Structures are given as C-alpha cells and as structure tokens.
Amino acid sequence: MITTTTYDTDTATDTAEVRVAASMARGMRCGWYRTLFELGPVTVDAFADEVGIGRAAATGWIGRQVDADVLRVVGTDATGEPLVLLPGEHVTALLGDRGEDELSGARAMALHYRDRMAPVVRAVGDHGLRVLADAA
C-alpha cells in the first residue's frame, strides 16, 4: 500500500520539499527512473525486486514520488496492489535527454503536456539537477 502524507505548516512543507529533492536525486543517481521507464506500470514489490532494495525503502521512495506528483498511481494489479507509473511527460527531465531515439515520444509528451508536469519535475527539466541540490 502506498500512503501519502499531507503537511499543514510552512516548516513541514520545507522539510517535505527537502525530502522530495533528496529522494529525486537518489532516484536519478541510482537509475530508478530509468527502471520505471523500462518497466511501465509497476507495483512497489516488483520495483523493489528489480532495483534490489527492501519493500519498506521502495514504499517510502515511491510514496514521496507520488506525494510530489512525480509518479502517478494508475490502477491496481490482480491482487489489488497499486500500480505506479513514471508519466511520459516526466521522462526526459528525469532520465536526461541527450537526443536518443527511444525518448522521442517522451520528448513530444513533455512539450505537449508541459502544464501537467509536476512543478519540481518541470524545474529539473528547465534548470537541471542543481534545482534539487538547491532544495536540499
């Protein structure tokens, strides 16, 4: 089960932003967004198995990504477990866009659906990884 957390104070929001930035940086460094891109919709357990981390760590990381709208819950599998997806419009910002053909569809989605992008992902796409470093 993926849980989300809401924050009511400015301090908690600042802390949440730092956590999101740190977790995004970790996901980029570890290649987790690439894995999500290649897997398509995936459960927490399948993601944890694929990247070699524990279920608790995977649940925490994916939960922060869902909270920040970086990942989306797109349904459930046959057992009722949530399926998460890296939205196509987020792919080039989070994987890095070096003009490779495999990202041409994602590149088009990023341009067409820019208004649907999570603000933190749009900032990474516009300004690079230093946005995450500045937030952390």
Side-chain angles (χ1 to χ4, degrees):
M1 164 78 40
I2 299 168
T3 59
T4 59
T5 306
T6 57
Y7 300 93
D8 294 326
T9 67
D10 289 339
T11 302
T13 301
D14 291 345
T15 302
E17 289 173 1
V18 169
R19 286 185 183 144
V20 168
S23 69
M24 287 180 70
R26 183 177 186 201
M28 295 172 101
R29 186 177 59 252
C30 293
W32 292 347
Y33 294 114
R34 166 63 67 175
T35 299
L36 289 165
F37 171 69
E38 292 172 356
L39 293 176
V42 66
T43 63
V44 168
D45 287 337
F47 172 77
D49 289 345
E50 187 69 26
V51 300
I53 62 174
R55 186 180 202 291
T59 299
W61 186 80
I62 286 176
R64 278 187 290 283
Q65 304 308 297
V66 169
D67 283 349
D69 295 325
V70 175
L71 300 179
R72 293 191 186 121
V73 176
V74 294
T76 58
D77 71 359
T79 67
E81 287 297 311
L83 291 166
V84 296
L85 177 72
L86 175 62
E89 63 269 17
H90 292 177
V91 169
T92 55
L94 298 175
L95 268 62
D97 187 0
R98 292 174 290 286
E100 54 270 72
D101 289 341
E102 73 172 337
L103 298 184
S104 62
R107 195 174 301 113
M109 287 185 76
L111 291 171
H112 190 265
Y113 295 110
R114 183 172 169 75
D115 61 322
R116 287 192 335 194
M117 292 176 82
V120 67
V121 175
R122 189 171 39 248
V124 169
D126 290 349
H127 305 289
L129 296 178
R130 83 183 145 103
V131 168
L132 296 179
D134 291 346

